[in-house]
Amino acid sequence: MSEEREDQGPMAASSSSAADQEDSPGPARLLLLPPEQDADWPPKKRLRVEAGSGSVRLEERLYSVLCCTVCLDLPKASVYQCTNGHLMCAGCFIHLLADARLKEEQSTCPNCRCEISKSLCCRNLAVEKAVSELPSDCGFCLKPFPRSLLDRHKKEECQDRVTQCKYKRIGCPWQGPFHELTVHESECCHPTKTGNELMEILDEMDQSHKKEMQLYNSIFGLLSFEKIGYTGKPVQKQHVNVRRYQKSSSGRTEQTTS
């Protein structure tokens, strides 16, 4: 028995040493620590550790790569790029050009500060196609769809999209998912109402519409052009030299400027 224990001793020692090596924190294990245990690390280092952990999906990593450099959101339409390749969505690109034109300055890329204009920048069709294929969740059924098909799904195909009763013009206030529309319309009581009841409902709808129009007109009056002041650069008056020709007492014409 003692010989067997002695024979097992070196193997047990080697296995224990291997276990100690596995439990010992090496450089690779230090890099894979969760963010809760490295609160003292700088932010950039924590972001690299999270990205290298493998838990972030490919779609989420592509979102940060293909997003607009101004609004940090995925472009919904055209994508423009500066001469150095930085991406901008169509809305932010037009806003940068218009803002610089109002300030009488040269529009620049917010990342590299190179000059941007319609002639210098071009569309990036590869990024536009890549963004259109990225998945996005439907706001009604919460199922993922490619962005190029998401609008059509929301308007025509989604069974959970919010819809209204076809008798809403005579006062039916029902709103609900599309898959319940048929059942509601078969049980809707508005088609069976009398003419006097429908007239009362239509009068109430007219009153609510008038209140909405009054609110709209008041808001439009507050935002009218006459009551908005422009705080841009003041217009500089240019001095114009006016040449005047006067006849002197000797009969000669003399030129004067003012």
Side-chain angles (χ1 to χ4, degrees):
M1 295 293 291
S2 61
E3 293 178 357
E4 292 179 356
R5 291 179 181 175
E6 290 177 0
D7 294 336
Q8 294 176 359
M11 296 179 65
S14 61
S15 61
S16 62
S17 62
D20 293 338
Q21 290 178 0
E22 291 179 358
D23 296 335
S24 61
R29 293 182 178 275
L30 289 176
L31 290 175
L32 296 178
L33 285 176
E36 296 85 312
Q37 300 180 9
D38 53 15
D40 296 334
W41 290 9
K44 292 184 178 180
K45 196 169 186 180
R46 285 203 298 271
L47 290 175
R48 289 176 183 174
V49 170
E50 292 175 4
S53 61
S55 60
V56 183
R57 295 185 302 173
L58 176 62
E59 293 85 357
E60 297 178 359
R61 296 199 297 270
L62 288 177
Y63 289 159
S64 61
V65 174
L66 302 178
C67 66
C68 173
T69 58
V70 182
C71 63
L72 302 179
D73 195 5
L74 283 178
K76 297 180 180 179
S78 304
V79 181
Y80 293 87
Q81 66 175 15
C82 69
T83 54
N84 292 327
H86 297 119
L87 304 176
M88 291 167 284
C89 63
C92 293
F93 178 68
I94 295 173
H95 178 75
L96 289 173
L97 296 180
D99 189 39
R101 188 172 183 179
L102 287 175
K103 296 179 180 178
E104 297 181 357
E105 298 176 354
Q106 175 62 44
S107 55
T108 57
C109 173
N111 267 14
C112 60
R113 299 301 177 187
C114 68
E115 295 184 2
I116 59 175
S117 63
K118 290 185 177 180
S119 59
L120 294 176
C121 298
C122 61
R123 290 177 59 182
N124 194 321
L125 300 181
V127 173
E128 293 179 9
K129 294 180 180 179
V131 171
S132 65
E133 295 299 326
L134 287 176
S136 180
D137 294 338
C138 173
F140 303 115
C141 62
L142 302 180
K143 295 180 181 179
F145 291 91
R147 289 178 174 267
S148 57
L149 304 176
L150 186 60
D151 292 338
R152 179 182 176 183
H153 169 76
K154 286 182 177 181
K155 295 178 180 179
E156 302 176 4
E157 301 174 355
C158 185
Q159 296 296 317
D160 293 332
R161 67 183 186 271
V162 179
T163 185
Q164 294 179 340
C165 178
K166 66 179 180 180
Y167 302 112
K168 66 177 182 178
R169 295 184 179 274
I170 57 175
C172 182
W174 183 86
Q175 288 185 349
F178 179 77
H179 61 83
E180 298 179 1
L181 178 63
T182 306
V183 178
H184 166 74
E185 289 180 351
S186 62
E187 300 176 353
C188 185
C189 61
H190 281 73
T192 59
K193 290 183 179 293
T194 62
N196 293 329
E197 292 175 347
L198 292 177
M199 288 299 296
E200 293 177 358
I201 295 173
L202 293 176
D203 289 339
E204 293 178 359
M205 294 175 63
D206 289 339
Q207 293 296 329
S208 62
H209 179 68
K210 288 180 181 179
K211 291 181 180 179
E212 291 178 358
M213 289 302 298
Q214 290 177 359
L215 179 61
Y216 170 77
N217 292 330
S218 62
I219 295 175
F220 185 77
L222 292 175
L223 299 177
S224 62
F225 179 76
E226 297 177 356
K227 298 180 180 180
I228 295 178
Y230 177 69
T231 59
K233 293 183 178 180
V235 179
Q236 297 179 356
K237 295 182 179 180
Q238 298 180 355
H239 181 71
V240 181
N241 294 329
V242 180
R243 296 182 178 180
R244 297 178 181 176
Y245 296 88
Q246 298 178 353
K247 289 186 177 181
S248 61
S249 58
S250 60
R252 298 179 181 178
T253 57
E254 296 179 356
Q255 180 179 353
T256 59
T257 59
S258 60

Short mmCIF file of all heavy atoms in Angstrom, two decimals, residues 93-136:
data_model
loop_
_atom_site.label_atom_id
_atom_site.label_comp_id
_atom_site.label_asym_id
_atom_site.label_seq_id
_atom_site.Cartn_x
_atom_site.Cartn_y
_atom_site.Cartn_z
N PHE A 93 -25.55 65.47 -43.19
CA PHE A 93 -24.72 66.07 -44.23
C PHE A 93 -25.31 67.39 -44.72
O PHE A 93 -24.62 68.41 -44.83
CB PHE A 93 -24.55 65.09 -45.38
CG PHE A 93 -23.74 65.60 -46.52
CD1 PHE A 93 -22.39 65.85 -46.39
CD2 PHE A 93 -24.34 65.84 -47.75
CE1 PHE A 93 -21.64 66.33 -47.45
CE2 PHE A 93 -23.61 66.33 -48.81
CZ PHE A 93 -22.25 66.57 -48.67
N ILE A 94 -26.61 67.40 -45.00
CA ILE A 94 -27.27 68.63 -45.44
C ILE A 94 -27.26 69.67 -44.33
O ILE A 94 -27.10 70.88 -44.58
CB ILE A 94 -28.70 68.31 -45.89
CG1 ILE A 94 -28.64 67.40 -47.14
CG2 ILE A 94 -29.47 69.58 -46.21
CD1 ILE A 94 -30.00 66.89 -47.58
N HIS A 95 -27.44 69.23 -43.08
CA HIS A 95 -27.44 70.18 -41.96
C HIS A 95 -26.07 70.84 -41.80
O HIS A 95 -25.99 72.05 -41.53
CB HIS A 95 -27.81 69.44 -40.67
CG HIS A 95 -27.78 70.31 -39.45
ND1 HIS A 95 -28.75 71.24 -39.17
CD2 HIS A 95 -26.86 70.40 -38.45
CE1 HIS A 95 -28.46 71.86 -38.04
NE2 HIS A 95 -27.31 71.37 -37.58
N LEU A 96 -24.99 70.09 -41.97
CA LEU A 96 -23.65 70.67 -41.87
C LEU A 96 -23.42 71.71 -42.96
O LEU A 96 -22.86 72.78 -42.70
CB LEU A 96 -22.60 69.56 -41.94
CG LEU A 96 -22.48 68.63 -40.74
CD1 LEU A 96 -21.50 67.51 -41.05
CD2 LEU A 96 -22.03 69.39 -39.50
N LEU A 97 -23.85 71.40 -44.18
CA LEU A 97 -23.67 72.36 -45.28
C LEU A 97 -24.50 73.62 -45.05
O LEU A 97 -24.01 74.75 -45.26
CB LEU A 97 -24.06 71.70 -46.60
CG LEU A 97 -23.21 70.51 -47.06
CD1 LEU A 97 -23.73 69.99 -48.40
CD2 LEU A 97 -21.74 70.88 -47.17
N ALA A 98 -25.75 73.47 -44.61
CA ALA A 98 -26.60 74.64 -44.40
C ALA A 98 -26.12 75.48 -43.23
O ALA A 98 -26.13 76.72 -43.29
CB ALA A 98 -28.04 74.18 -44.15
N ASP A 99 -25.66 74.83 -42.16
CA ASP A 99 -25.17 75.57 -41.00
C ASP A 99 -23.93 76.38 -41.34
O ASP A 99 -23.78 77.53 -40.92
CB ASP A 99 -24.88 74.60 -39.86
CG ASP A 99 -24.59 75.31 -38.55
OD1 ASP A 99 -25.26 76.32 -38.27
OD2 ASP A 99 -23.70 74.87 -37.80
N ALA A 100 -23.01 75.78 -42.10
CA ALA A 100 -21.81 76.51 -42.50
C ALA A 100 -22.14 77.66 -43.45
O ALA A 100 -21.50 78.72 -43.40
CB ALA A 100 -20.82 75.55 -43.15
N ARG A 101 -23.15 77.47 -44.29
CA ARG A 101 -23.51 78.54 -45.21
C ARG A 101 -24.13 79.72 -44.47
O ARG A 101 -23.89 80.88 -44.82
CB ARG A 101 -24.48 78.00 -46.27
CG ARG A 101 -24.78 78.98 -47.38
CD ARG A 101 -25.57 78.32 -48.49
NE ARG A 101 -25.80 79.23 -49.60
CZ ARG A 101 -26.45 78.90 -50.71
NH1 ARG A 101 -26.94 77.66 -50.83
NH2 ARG A 101 -26.62 79.79 -51.66
N LEU A 102 -24.92 79.45 -43.43
CA LEU A 102 -25.49 80.54 -42.64
C LEU A 102 -24.40 81.31 -41.88
O LEU A 102 -24.50 82.53 -41.72
CB LEU A 102 -26.52 79.99 -41.66
CG LEU A 102 -27.86 79.52 -42.26
CD1 LEU A 102 -28.72 78.89 -41.19
CD2 LEU A 102 -28.59 80.68 -42.92
N LYS A 103 -23.40 80.59 -41.42
CA LYS A 103 -22.31 81.24 -40.69
C LYS A 103 -21.23 81.81 -41.60
O LYS A 103 -20.25 82.36 -41.10
CB LYS A 103 -21.67 80.24 -39.72
CG LYS A 103 -22.61 79.75 -38.63
CD LYS A 103 -21.91 78.75 -37.74
CE LYS A 103 -22.83 78.26 -36.63
NZ LYS A 103 -22.16 77.24 -35.77
N GLU A 104 -21.41 81.63 -42.92
CA GLU A 104 -20.43 82.09 -43.91
C GLU A 104 -19.06 81.49 -43.63
O GLU A 104 -18.03 82.17 -43.62
CB GLU A 104 -20.35 83.62 -43.92
CG GLU A 104 -21.65 84.29 -44.33
CD GLU A 104 -21.54 85.80 -44.35
OE1 GLU A 104 -20.46 86.29 -43.98
OE2 GLU A 104 -22.50 86.47 -44.73
N GLU A 105 -19.06 80.19 -43.37
CA GLU A 105 -17.83 79.46 -43.12
C GLU A 105 -17.75 78.25 -44.05
O GLU A 105 -18.72 77.90 -44.71
CB GLU A 105 -17.77 78.99 -41.65
CG GLU A 105 -17.76 80.12 -40.64
CD GLU A 105 -17.80 79.60 -39.22
OE1 GLU A 105 -17.95 78.36 -39.06
OE2 GLU A 105 -17.70 80.40 -38.27
N GLN A 106 -16.58 77.63 -44.05
CA GLN A 106 -16.40 76.43 -44.84
C GLN A 106 -16.84 75.22 -44.02
O GLN A 106 -16.40 75.03 -42.90
CB GLN A 106 -14.93 76.27 -45.26
CG GLN A 106 -14.62 74.98 -46.00
CD GLN A 106 -15.37 74.86 -47.31
OE1 GLN A 106 -15.45 75.81 -48.07
NE2 GLN A 106 -15.92 73.69 -47.57
N SER A 107 -17.73 74.41 -44.54
CA SER A 107 -18.19 73.23 -43.83
C SER A 107 -17.08 72.18 -43.79
O SER A 107 -16.36 71.96 -44.77
CB SER A 107 -19.43 72.64 -44.52
OG SER A 107 -19.16 72.39 -45.88
N THR A 108 -16.94 71.54 -42.63
CA THR A 108 -15.88 70.57 -42.42
C THR A 108 -16.45 69.29 -41.83
O THR A 108 -17.53 69.29 -41.23
CB THR A 108 -14.79 71.12 -41.47
OG1 THR A 108 -15.41 71.49 -40.22
CG2 THR A 108 -14.11 72.33 -42.09
N CYS A 109 -15.71 68.22 -41.98
CA CYS A 109 -16.08 66.93 -41.39
C CYS A 109 -15.91 67.01 -39.88
O CYS A 109 -14.88 67.51 -39.39
CB CYS A 109 -15.22 65.82 -41.97
SG CYS A 109 -15.44 64.21 -41.18
N PRO A 110 -16.85 66.55 -39.08
CA PRO A 110 -16.72 66.64 -37.62
C PRO A 110 -15.63 65.74 -37.06
O PRO A 110 -15.23 65.93 -35.91
CB PRO A 110 -18.10 66.21 -37.11
CG PRO A 110 -18.69 65.41 -38.21
CD PRO A 110 -18.15 65.98 -39.48
N ASN A 111 -15.12 64.79 -37.83
CA ASN A 111 -14.07 63.90 -37.34
C ASN A 111 -12.67 64.38 -37.68
O ASN A 111 -11.82 64.58 -36.81
CB ASN A 111 -14.27 62.49 -37.90
CG ASN A 111 -15.08 61.63 -36.97
OD1 ASN A 111 -15.71 62.12 -36.04
ND2 ASN A 111 -15.10 60.33 -37.23
N CYS A 112 -12.41 64.58 -38.96
CA CYS A 112 -11.06 64.94 -39.40
C CYS A 112 -10.91 66.40 -39.80
O CYS A 112 -9.82 66.84 -40.14
CB CYS A 112 -10.65 64.04 -40.57
SG CYS A 112 -11.74 64.18 -42.01
N ARG A 113 -12.01 67.16 -39.80
CA ARG A 113 -11.98 68.60 -40.12
C ARG A 113 -11.52 68.89 -41.55
O ARG A 113 -11.01 69.98 -41.81
CB ARG A 113 -11.08 69.36 -39.13
CG ARG A 113 -11.55 69.28 -37.70
CD ARG A 113 -12.92 69.82 -37.54
NE ARG A 113 -13.44 69.68 -36.17
CZ ARG A 113 -14.70 69.96 -35.81
NH1 ARG A 113 -15.56 70.38 -36.72
NH2 ARG A 113 -15.08 69.80 -34.56
N CYS A 114 -11.70 67.95 -42.43
CA CYS A 114 -11.42 68.24 -43.84
C CYS A 114 -12.64 68.91 -44.46
O CYS A 114 -13.75 68.80 -43.96
CB CYS A 114 -11.06 66.96 -44.59
SG CYS A 114 -12.43 65.80 -44.77
N GLU A 115 -12.45 69.61 -45.56
CA GLU A 115 -13.54 70.33 -46.20
C GLU A 115 -14.52 69.35 -46.83
O GLU A 115 -14.13 68.33 -47.41
CB GLU A 115 -12.98 71.27 -47.28
CG GLU A 115 -12.11 72.38 -46.74
CD GLU A 115 -11.66 73.33 -47.83
OE1 GLU A 115 -12.07 73.11 -48.99
OE2 GLU A 115 -10.91 74.27 -47.52
N ILE A 116 -15.79 69.65 -46.67
CA ILE A 116 -16.84 68.83 -47.27
C ILE A 116 -17.77 69.72 -48.08
O ILE A 116 -18.02 70.87 -47.74
CB ILE A 116 -17.65 68.06 -46.21
CG1 ILE A 116 -18.31 69.02 -45.21
CG2 ILE A 116 -16.80 67.05 -45.49
CD1 ILE A 116 -19.23 68.33 -44.22
N SER A 117 -18.25 69.19 -49.16
CA SER A 117 -19.20 69.87 -50.04
C SER A 117 -19.84 68.81 -50.93
O SER A 117 -19.45 67.63 -50.91
CB SER A 117 -18.52 70.95 -50.87
OG SER A 117 -17.56 70.37 -51.73
N LYS A 118 -20.82 69.21 -51.72
CA LYS A 118 -21.47 68.26 -52.61
C LYS A 118 -20.54 67.75 -53.70
O LYS A 118 -20.72 66.66 -54.22
CB LYS A 118 -22.71 68.90 -53.23
CG LYS A 118 -23.83 69.12 -52.24
CD LYS A 118 -25.07 69.63 -52.94
CE LYS A 118 -26.22 69.78 -51.94
NZ LYS A 118 -27.47 70.28 -52.60
N SER A 119 -19.55 68.57 -54.05
CA SER A 119 -18.60 68.15 -55.08
C SER A 119 -17.47 67.30 -54.52
O SER A 119 -16.94 66.44 -55.22
CB SER A 119 -18.02 69.38 -55.79
OG SER A 119 -17.35 70.22 -54.85
N LEU A 120 -17.10 67.53 -53.25
CA LEU A 120 -16.00 66.78 -52.65
C LEU A 120 -16.46 65.44 -52.07
O LEU A 120 -15.69 64.48 -52.07
CB LEU A 120 -15.34 67.60 -51.56
CG LEU A 120 -14.61 68.87 -52.00
CD1 LEU A 120 -14.09 69.64 -50.80
CD2 LEU A 120 -13.45 68.53 -52.94
N CYS A 121 -17.67 65.38 -51.55
CA CYS A 121 -18.17 64.15 -50.92
C CYS A 121 -18.95 63.32 -51.94
O CYS A 121 -19.51 63.84 -52.89
CB CYS A 121 -19.06 64.48 -49.73
SG CYS A 121 -18.20 65.37 -48.41
N CYS A 122 -19.00 62.02 -51.70
CA CYS A 122 -19.72 61.11 -52.57
C CYS A 122 -20.49 60.10 -51.72
O CYS A 122 -20.22 59.94 -50.54
CB CYS A 122 -18.77 60.37 -53.52
SG CYS A 122 -17.55 59.35 -52.67
N ARG A 123 -21.45 59.46 -52.36
CA ARG A 123 -22.24 58.45 -51.66
C ARG A 123 -21.47 57.14 -51.56
O ARG A 123 -20.67 56.80 -52.44
CB ARG A 123 -23.57 58.21 -52.38
CG ARG A 123 -24.53 59.35 -52.27
CD ARG A 123 -25.79 59.08 -53.06
NE ARG A 123 -26.48 57.87 -52.61
CZ ARG A 123 -27.59 57.39 -53.17
NH1 ARG A 123 -28.12 58.03 -54.20
NH2 ARG A 123 -28.16 56.30 -52.70
N ASN A 124 -21.72 56.41 -50.47
CA ASN A 124 -21.11 55.11 -50.25
C ASN A 124 -22.20 54.05 -50.41
O ASN A 124 -22.94 53.75 -49.48
CB ASN A 124 -20.47 55.03 -48.86
CG ASN A 124 -19.54 53.85 -48.71
OD1 ASN A 124 -19.81 52.77 -49.22
ND2 ASN A 124 -18.44 54.06 -48.00
N LEU A 125 -22.29 53.47 -51.60
CA LEU A 125 -23.36 52.53 -51.89
C LEU A 125 -23.17 51.21 -51.16
O LEU A 125 -24.16 50.55 -50.80
CB LEU A 125 -23.42 52.27 -53.41
CG LEU A 125 -23.69 53.50 -54.28
CD1 LEU A 125 -23.73 53.08 -55.76
CD2 LEU A 125 -25.01 54.15 -53.90
N ALA A 126 -21.93 50.83 -50.89
CA ALA A 126 -21.68 49.58 -50.17
C ALA A 126 -22.22 49.66 -48.75
O ALA A 126 -22.83 48.71 -48.25
CB ALA A 126 -20.18 49.26 -50.17
N VAL A 127 -22.00 50.79 -48.09
CA VAL A 127 -22.52 50.97 -46.74
C VAL A 127 -24.04 51.02 -46.74
O VAL A 127 -24.69 50.46 -45.85
CB VAL A 127 -21.92 52.24 -46.11
CG1 VAL A 127 -22.57 52.53 -44.76
CG2 VAL A 127 -20.42 52.09 -45.93
N GLU A 128 -24.63 51.67 -47.74
CA GLU A 128 -26.09 51.72 -47.83
C GLU A 128 -26.69 50.32 -47.94
O GLU A 128 -27.69 50.00 -47.28
CB GLU A 128 -26.50 52.59 -49.01
CG GLU A 128 -26.16 54.06 -48.85
CD GLU A 128 -26.56 54.86 -50.07
OE1 GLU A 128 -27.25 54.29 -50.95
OE2 GLU A 128 -26.19 56.04 -50.15
N LYS A 129 -26.10 49.47 -48.77
CA LYS A 129 -26.61 48.11 -48.92
C LYS A 129 -26.38 47.29 -47.66
O LYS A 129 -27.24 46.47 -47.28
CB LYS A 129 -25.94 47.44 -50.12
CG LYS A 129 -26.31 48.07 -51.46
CD LYS A 129 -25.61 47.37 -52.61
CE LYS A 129 -25.99 48.01 -53.94
NZ LYS A 129 -25.29 47.35 -55.09
N ALA A 130 -25.23 47.49 -47.00
CA ALA A 130 -24.96 46.75 -45.77
C ALA A 130 -25.94 47.13 -44.67
O ALA A 130 -26.44 46.27 -43.92
CB ALA A 130 -23.52 47.00 -45.31
N VAL A 131 -26.24 48.42 -44.56
CA VAL A 131 -27.19 48.87 -43.53
C VAL A 131 -28.59 48.34 -43.83
O VAL A 131 -29.34 47.98 -42.91
CB VAL A 131 -27.19 50.41 -43.46
CG1 VAL A 131 -28.32 50.92 -42.58
CG2 VAL A 131 -25.86 50.92 -42.92
N SER A 132 -28.96 48.26 -45.11
CA SER A 132 -30.30 47.77 -45.45
C SER A 132 -30.48 46.29 -45.12
O SER A 132 -31.61 45.83 -44.96
CB SER A 132 -30.58 48.00 -46.93
OG SER A 132 -29.70 47.22 -47.74
N GLU A 133 -29.39 45.54 -45.01
CA GLU A 133 -29.48 44.12 -44.69
C GLU A 133 -29.35 43.83 -43.20
O GLU A 133 -29.54 42.69 -42.79
CB GLU A 133 -28.40 43.34 -45.45
CG GLU A 133 -28.57 43.35 -46.96
CD GLU A 133 -29.89 42.73 -47.40
OE1 GLU A 133 -30.33 41.77 -46.74
OE2 GLU A 133 -30.46 43.19 -48.39
N LEU A 134 -29.02 44.82 -42.39
CA LEU A 134 -28.90 44.59 -40.96
C LEU A 134 -30.28 44.35 -40.35
O LEU A 134 -31.26 44.98 -40.75
CB LEU A 134 -28.24 45.79 -40.28
CG LEU A 134 -26.75 45.96 -40.51
CD1 LEU A 134 -26.27 47.24 -39.85
CD2 LEU A 134 -25.97 44.77 -39.98
N PRO A 135 -30.40 43.45 -39.39
CA PRO A 135 -31.72 43.17 -38.81
C PRO A 135 -32.15 44.26 -37.84
O PRO A 135 -31.34 44.90 -37.18
CB PRO A 135 -31.50 41.83 -38.07
CG PRO A 135 -30.04 41.83 -37.73
CD PRO A 135 -29.35 42.57 -38.84
N SER A 136 -33.45 44.45 -37.78
CA SER A 136 -34.06 45.41 -36.86
C SER A 136 -35.39 44.85 -36.39
O SER A 136 -36.12 44.23 -37.18
CB SER A 136 -34.24 46.77 -37.51
OG SER A 136 -34.82 47.69 -36.60
#
